[in-house]
């Protein structure tokens, strides 16, 4: 079982099942080692540690802030003021389903787990309204405190979808952009790969492919 940079034991090797942090390297205690672990006295706590307020969280993926940019999704804190104008009512919706042609393309690439993934015999469409400042796409987990607004947990469940796979962000003019914060298997919009942390405009008619067979189609919202 892998250990995330925050010290949590995680069953996933891309993002921590507990806090969502990207699995890159070992936690500080494993890298440097504490004084107590090396046989010396424990290091004294910093004078102002107890007086610190609550930890600021990323408004996109809720990861604790560690600098100007979020370590998981790349959110730039310097650009967070003034805050993004929230969408009051849903004008568009995201409809999820299964795409057989995309599945065959993915399996045809002969990835390490391709032979273990089967196309679902039945996958009903589900509709999710695009409302608020952000709409996260991914698979929920009982060990993660955050549940994505577009939860692809299933059934049927696409194992190629990361817990936080992509995020739809509302813009001031009412449009939306898609950001992939670094998913394990990538994201495509209308067949084109999306670069990590590069916003891509999306609108009605656009098709977003994630995982091994999932397609998300943006449509005009139902009145």
């Amino acid at each position: 079982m892998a250990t995330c940079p925050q010290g949590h034991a995680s069953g996933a090797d891309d993002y921590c099942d507990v806090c969502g942090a990207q699995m890159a390297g070992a936690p500080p205690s494993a890298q440097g080692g504490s004084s107590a672990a090396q046989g010396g006295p424990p290091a004294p706590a910093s004078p102002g540690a107890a007086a610190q307020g609550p930890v600021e969280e990323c408004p996109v993926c809720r990861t604790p802030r560690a600098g100007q940019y979020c370590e998981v999704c790349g959110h730039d804190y310097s650009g967070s003021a003034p805050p993004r104008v929230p969408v009051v009512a849903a004008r568009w919706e995201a409809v999820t389903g299964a795409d057989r042609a995309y599945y065959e393309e993915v399996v045809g690439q002969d990835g390490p787990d391709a032979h273990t993934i089967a196309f679902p015999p039945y996958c009903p469409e589900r509709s999710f309204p695009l409302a608020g400042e952000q709409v996260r796409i991914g698979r929920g987990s009982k060990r993660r405190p955050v549940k994505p607004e577009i939860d692809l947990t299933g059934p049927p469940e696409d194992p190629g979808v990361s817990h936080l796979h992509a995020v739809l962000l509302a813009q001031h003019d009412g449009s939306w952009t898609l950001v992939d914060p670094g998913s394990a298997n990538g994201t495509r919009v209308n067949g084109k790969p999306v670069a990590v942390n590069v916003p891509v405009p999306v609108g009605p008619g656009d098709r977003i492919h994630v995982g091994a067979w999932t397609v998300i189609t943006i449509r005009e919202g139902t009145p």
Side-chain angles (χ1 to χ4, degrees), residues 99-111 114 188 191 193 209 212:
D99 187 336
R100 180 81 191 201
Y102 176 68
Y103 164 78
E104 292 178 352
E105 180 182 349
V106 171
V107 173
Q109 295 174 357
D110 197 24
R188 297 186 191 181
H209 283 97

Side-chain angles (χ1 to χ4, degrees), residues 112-138:
D113 300 321
H115 67 284
T116 66
I117 302 176
F119 187 78
Y122 176 67
C123 182
E125 288 190 344
R126 291 186 292 166
S127 176
F128 300 86
L130 300 190
E133 295 186 8
Q134 63 174 2
V135 176
R136 292 161 294 188
I137 302 170

Side-chain angles (χ1 to χ4, degrees), residues 154-202:
E157 180 171 305
D158 187 336
V161 176
S162 298
H163 290 296
L164 178 62
H165 198 104
V167 183
L168 289 161
L169 300 174
Q171 305 302 301
H172 288 280
D173 60 0
S175 64
W176 291 81
T177 60
L178 175 82
V179 175
D180 184 325
S183 63
N185 297 308
T187 304
R188 297 186 191 181
V189 173
N190 297 328
K192 297 181 179 179
V194 174
V196 174
N197 287 327
V198 176
V200 176
V202 294

Side-chain angles (χ1 to χ4, degrees), residues 19-156:
C19 69
Q22 188 173 12
M23 303 294 287
S29 60
Q31 293 175 350
S34 65
S35 299
Q38 297 174 1
S46 58
Q52 292 179 353
V55 177
E56 183 179 0
E57 293 183 341
C58 172
V60 176
C61 64
R62 306 303 180 192
T63 300
R65 179 175 180 176
Q68 179 180 346
Y69 298 95
C70 176
E71 295 179 346
V72 174
C73 71
H75 170 72
D76 186 353
Y77 287 93
S78 66
S80 60
R84 184 181 300 114
V85 178
V87 178
V88 177
R91 296 172 46 218
W92 303 343
E93 63 181 356
V95 181
T96 65
D99 187 336
R100 180 81 191 201
Y102 176 68
Y103 164 78
E104 292 178 352
E105 180 182 349
V106 171
V107 173
Q109 295 174 357
D110 197 24
D113 300 321
H115 67 284
T116 66
I117 302 176
F119 187 78
Y122 176 67
C123 182
E125 288 190 344
R126 291 186 292 166
S127 176
F128 300 86
L130 300 190
E133 295 186 8
Q134 63 174 2
V135 176
R136 292 161 294 188
I137 302 170
R139 289 189 296 127
S141 171
K142 294 181 179 179
R143 291 180 289 180
R144 283 175 56 86
V146 178
K147 182 177 181 179
E149 285 72 29
I150 299 180
D151 190 350
L152 301 175
T153 304

